[in-house]
């Protein structure tokens, strides 16, 4: 029987507009809490966007995402999954970043995740810009390189920005490969599109065996076929899932810093996550929700809907 302490507050018991918002109305169980070691999947906010190179705002993402997440209910509408009964889930709170120091912030993020992983907690992250993934991977993949399924309109494989700045939201996965956190031959990046500076990032992908699925190929082949290949690439070994909200077309997700036209619709946005079922997932993130560019909260609602889909897939492993 599942532990009811870790069940979300029902909208039948407390209106969704009432109470202190946590991710999906789950209990708040930060490090040091007496039930911390009982958590199996921890939802973590990383309110940080110091890697952003143009339009800032994702530092406010976790707060808007928490508010939007009060709309999530207990059961998946299509497959019947009840993730809060399958696993002990909790909101672990936010990593406290240093907004004046990128390197210190990354150390703080890795330290927080090391503590969660030491307690046997699988992390589901709400960012934050995409540089967030690098310090998370430093914790998740500290014992050796892992695979990754990456949904994005950008590769985030650039070498550097502004004459040698190595840590931005356009470089995390280049650094992750260089640091031995990702096995490039077990990395697939889906939805890539948009105008380009040059071919540098794609050349790096080709040279290292990273599979890029451009948006033209995604639309031509369809979700099921593309995701079948993605599952084959990562296999049954440990895999991380990174989901940038700008994977989705800006018609459906305008609240992000670097939107690109021509992307998937909101249904395809959740379809691709459902096709991850059965993978050996060791952590996931959903990043780049930027409230200043969508104050209506629609982008955040899509973001937490994607997080719920990720939670359903992750909880099925328990």
């Amino acid at each position: 029987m599942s532990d009811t302490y870790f069940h979300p507050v029902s909208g039948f018991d407390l209106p969704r507009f009432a109470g202190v918002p946590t991710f999906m109305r789950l209990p708040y169980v930060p490090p040091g809490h007496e039930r911390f070691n009982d958590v199996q999947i921890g939802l973590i906010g990383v309110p940080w966007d110091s890697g952003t190179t143009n339009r800032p705002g994702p530092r406010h993402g976790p707060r808007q995402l928490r508010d939007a997440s009060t709309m999530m209910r207990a059961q998946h509408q299509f497959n019947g999954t009840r993730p809060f009964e399958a696993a002990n889930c909790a909101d672990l709170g936010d990593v406290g970043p240093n907004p004046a120091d990128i390197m210190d912030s990354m150390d703080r993020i890795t330290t927080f995740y090391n503590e969660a992983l030491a307690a046997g907690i699988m992390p589901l992250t709400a960012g934050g810009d995409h540089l967030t993934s690098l310090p998370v991977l430093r914790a998740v993949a500290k014992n050796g390189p892992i695979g990754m399924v990456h949904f994005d309109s950008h590769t985030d494989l650039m070498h550097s920005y502004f004459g040698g700045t190595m840590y931005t939201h356009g470089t995390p996965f280049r650094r992750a490969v260089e640091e031995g956190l990702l096995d490039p031959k077990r990395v697939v990046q889906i939805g890539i599109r948009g105008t380009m500076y040059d071919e540098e990032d794609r050349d790096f992908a080709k040279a290292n065996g990273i599979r890029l699925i451009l948006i033209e190929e995604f639309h031509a082949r369809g979700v099921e076929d593309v995701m079948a290949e993605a599952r084959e690439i990562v296999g049954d070994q440990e895999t991380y899932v990174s989901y940038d909200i700008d994977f989705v077309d800006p018609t459906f997700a305008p609240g992000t810093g670097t939107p690109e036209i021509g992307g998937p619709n909101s249904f395809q946005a959740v379809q691709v996550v459902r096709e991850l079922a059965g993978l050996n997932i060791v952590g996931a993130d959903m990043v780049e929700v930027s409230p200043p560019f969508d104050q209506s909260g629609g982008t955040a609602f899509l973001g937490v809907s994607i997080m719920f889909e990720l939670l359903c897939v992750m909880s099925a492993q328990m």
Side-chain angles (χ1 to χ4, degrees):
M1 180 178 293
S2 61
D3 189 335
T4 57
Y5 177 84
F6 293 102
H7 289 190
V9 177
S10 171
F12 289 153
D13 297 327
L14 182 70
R16 298 184 182 281
F17 53 80
V20 176
T22 58
F23 282 122
M24 303 185 196
R25 312 191 93 192
L26 289 165
Y28 172 51
V29 184
H33 190 282
E34 61 181 5
R35 299 298 307 268
F36 187 72
N37 289 327
D38 297 324
V39 178
Q40 294 175 293
I41 300 178
L43 286 74
I44 303 167
V46 183
W48 180 61
D49 60 9
S50 295
T52 302
T53 56
N54 185 16
R55 306 198 305 173
R59 69 182 58 188
H60 302 293
R63 184 166 293 187
Q64 192 184 45
L65 287 161
R66 279 192 176 91
D67 193 26
S69 76
T70 63
M71 293 297 292
M72 296 299 103
R73 302 181 182 89
Q75 181 169 315
H76 193 285
Q77 63 88 19
F78 180 68
N79 59 35
T81 300
R82 297 180 67 85
F84 309 115
E85 295 178 11
N88 291 346
C89 305
D91 187 333
L92 306 190
D94 284 346
V95 179
N98 178 346
D101 190 323
I102 285 180
M103 304 307 286
D104 182 46
S105 289
M106 289 198 291
D107 287 344
R108 290 172 181 229
I109 294 166
T110 302
T111 297
F112 190 105
Y113 280 76
N114 279 335
E115 186 169 2
L117 291 161
I121 299 171
M122 186 189 307
L124 174 55
T125 302
D129 71 39
H130 222 149
L131 184 57
T132 297
S133 299
L134 178 60
V136 173
L137 283 167
R138 287 173 175 169
V140 173
K142 64 182 177 182
N143 294 322
I146 61 177
M148 182 176 69
V149 180
H150 174 204
F151 302 104
D152 205 325
S153 58
H154 313 100
T155 66
D156 297 344
L157 292 172
M158 300 300 292
H159 176 267
S160 60
Y161 280 59
F162 304 104
T165 299
M166 307 297 281
Y167 298 100
T168 78
H169 66 169
T171 67
F173 301 124
R174 179 80 161 248
R175 301 288 88 80
V177 170
E178 293 169 348
E179 293 179 22
L181 306 174
L182 292 175
D183 174 358
K185 293 180 174 56
R186 294 186 56 240
V187 172
V188 55
Q189 301 185 314
I190 303 169
I192 307 304
R193 63 188 189 275
T195 55
M196 302 162 59
Y197 292 111
D198 52 35
E199 294 278 348
E200 176 204 312
D201 56 335
R202 297 191 184 186
D203 289 344
F204 179 85
K206 184 176 181 179
N208 287 275
I210 295 171
R211 173 69 164 110
L212 302 186
I213 298 179
L214 306 188
I215 198 63
E216 290 79 6
E217 181 179 355
F218 176 87
H219 286 309
R221 292 174 59 188
V223 169
E224 290 186 5
D225 191 36
V226 165
M227 293 309 298
E229 182 186 353
R231 291 194 304 272
E232 183 178 353
I233 288 169
V234 298
D236 59 3
Q237 300 176 66
E238 292 187 344
T239 297
Y240 190 78
V241 179
S242 189
Y243 200 123
D244 189 322
I245 198 67
D246 74 28
F247 168 71
V248 188
D249 191 88
T251 302
F252 304 92
T256 191
T258 316
E260 304 288 358
I261 65 163
N265 62 34
S266 59
F267 180 62
Q268 292 169 317
V270 297
Q271 267 188 304
V272 293
V273 178
R274 295 175 189 178
E275 294 293 327
L276 297 171
L279 294 184
N280 182 8
I281 297 173
V282 293
D285 63 49
M286 202 289 303
V287 299
E288 294 284 1
V289 169
S290 186
F293 298 106
D294 185 7
Q295 295 182 22
S296 73
T299 303
F301 182 59
L302 176 57
V304 296
S305 299
I306 291 163
M307 289 180 68
F308 181 80
E309 297 282 347
L310 286 166
L311 186 61
C312 287
V313 172
M314 295 163 73
S315 67
Q317 301 177 196
M318 301 297 165

